[in-house]
Amino acid sequence: MTRCRAAIIAGLAAALVSAAPATAQQAGGDGTAEWITLGTGGGPVTNPSRSQPANLLRFGGQDYLVDVGDGTAMQIGKVGVQTRMIDAIFISHLHFDHTGGLAAILGLRFQTSGRDPLTIYGPPGTRDLVDGLFASMVPGATANYGVAGAPPADHRAGIEVVELRDGESATIGEMTVTARGNSHYSFPPESELAKRFQSLSYRFDMPGKSIVYTGDTGPSPAVEDLARGADLLVAEMMDIPLTITRMLAANPGLPDAQAKAMQSHLATHHLDARDVGEMAARAGVPAVVVTHFAGREAAEPEHLDYYRQAREAYDGVFMIADDLDVFRP
């Protein structure tokens, strides 16, 4: 661990509990809240040290997934959580790096006879996504036990989908969850695409504490408004020039028009370090945790530049998370 990262961890106002696995018995049942960054990788380029975007919010004895990128099932196992224990899932938007692990969660839940209610919250299109996954499960569900005469089981049992739009909210026990549309998509406001798709940021308000998760977004007054007064802002962040270089290297021969569209998307629909600092400062949050990170890692000298860039606008606690870091606001 670098000296800089150790100092940031030591001073984190939204205290970092541990980078080691937390057991199911330890967390969330005593009125505290824990946010675990299960997967902190940014974008669709695979990363050997970071799983794809996924988080676990533990509160009131309940376990909530917030985005569910590829590898989520393995990551929850590392913190003592089985798929049947998940009480709700919140999906920020329908890009594959944020939804690729949902098939495994649903399939393994079925195979372990998980029948407790599970609600999947997400933007418009989430119901179509889940219905498609249910259809893909039919062959495996039909042959689940591989034994003639085995009792049939319903792989849809107990699962409900709730689609949310900008400004809508849901109440779950003592927690209120508010969704705001952000700037990860920029379809013309009156277009059919804008009606069909939204990218959401979420605010989780619990007694005495609140956490805001940006999901993927560019600079967004709506997200700043959502985060105002929160105890912790969990924000995406990308080194955009480096990410463009890496994506072009991973896709040799990419057609020029597609390459330009990708570069435009990254440059306008994501946050760099300075953007995150400015957003946090305007929202007045005391602490920021960065996830969905694509950039130079802590072993590289350039990693410190991200802290310097954020500090130009923001003087609160700022930390770039690793997989399985645990935070208590």
Side-chain angles (χ1 to χ4, degrees):
M1 180 182 294
T2 66
R3 185 174 301 173
C4 176
R5 179 171 166 80
I8 293 164
I9 289 176
L12 190 62
L16 174 66
V17 177
S18 173
T23 68
Q25 290 73 29
Q26 287 175 326
D30 56 358
T32 61
E34 286 188 351
W35 184 278
I36 304 175
T37 50
L38 297 172
T40 58
V45 176
T46 57
N47 187 320
S49 60
R50 295 181 181 272
S51 190
Q52 292 212 309
N55 304 271
L56 181 69
L57 172 59
R58 317 196 76 182
F59 170 72
Q62 306 293 296
D63 295 296
Y64 308 106
L65 287 175
V66 185
D67 277 337
V68 59
D70 187 41
T72 299
M74 180 177 71
Q75 296 299 86
I76 62 171
K78 292 176 181 177
V79 296
V81 174
Q82 294 295 322
T83 54
R84 61 177 176 76
M85 297 165 60
I86 300 300
D87 296 287
I89 297 172
F90 294 88
I91 296 172
S92 65
H93 65 295
L94 302 182
H95 282 163
F96 300 121
D97 52 325
H98 291 254
T99 64
L102 184 58
I105 295 294
L106 296 180
L108 296 176
R109 178 183 184 274
F110 168 73
Q111 285 194 299
T112 53
S113 299
R115 294 295 182 269
D116 291 340
L118 169 66
T119 304
I120 301 171
Y121 298 88
T126 300
R127 186 169 288 105
D128 287 343
L129 169 67
V130 174
D131 284 345
L133 293 176
F134 281 151
S136 76
M137 290 169 64
V138 169
T142 304
N144 187 41
Y145 294 107
V147 176
D154 181 5
H155 58 285
R156 299 170 178 253
I159 297 174
E160 180 184 4
V161 176
V162 175
E163 293 188 343
L164 297 173
R165 288 184 173 271
D166 177 35
E168 295 182 339
S169 62
T171 300
I172 305 171
E174 293 186 280
M175 182 172 71
T176 299
V177 185
T178 305
R180 289 300 307 270
N182 59 44
S183 59
H184 190 52
Y185 300 155
S186 58
F187 303 124
E190 300 305 318
S191 69
E192 187 62 29
L193 286 173
K195 295 174 186 176
R196 289 176 56 202
F197 299 110
Q198 286 191 355
S199 176
L200 300 177
S201 300
Y202 289 108
R203 179 175 177 128
F204 301 89
D205 282 307
M206 298 152 281
K209 59 190 72 70
S210 56
I211 300 173
V212 170
Y213 173 66
T214 69
D216 285 8
T217 184
S220 170
V223 178
E224 291 172 16
D225 182 63
L226 184 72
R228 198 154 285 118
D231 298 290
L232 178 64
L233 175 64
V234 182
E236 74 123 75
M237 194 186 88
M238 303 182 79
D239 181 330
I240 293 168
L242 178 63
T243 301
I244 290 172
T245 298
R246 287 176 172 173
M247 291 191 71
L248 291 175
N251 295 275
L254 191 68
D256 186 59
Q258 193 171 342
K260 288 180 178 178
M262 178 194 72
Q263 292 179 50
S264 175
H265 166 68
L266 290 170
T268 58
H269 298 161
H270 286 281
L271 302 173
D272 63 19
R274 190 171 288 103
D275 293 329
V276 174
E278 291 173 352
M279 175 180 287
R282 285 193 287 262
V285 295
V288 174
V289 167
V290 166
T291 186
H292 194 276
F293 174 70
R296 303 289 184 182
E297 295 291 350
E300 301 174 89
E302 297 91 341
H303 187 77
L304 297 180
D305 290 340
Y306 306 131
Y307 290 93
R308 297 189 188 102
Q309 292 162 15
R311 289 288 178 209
E312 291 177 7
Y314 178 66
D315 60 5
V317 176
F318 181 88
M319 179 178 171
I320 299 173
D322 288 327
D323 286 10
L324 304 180
D325 280 351
V326 185
F327 301 90
R328 280 185 176 171

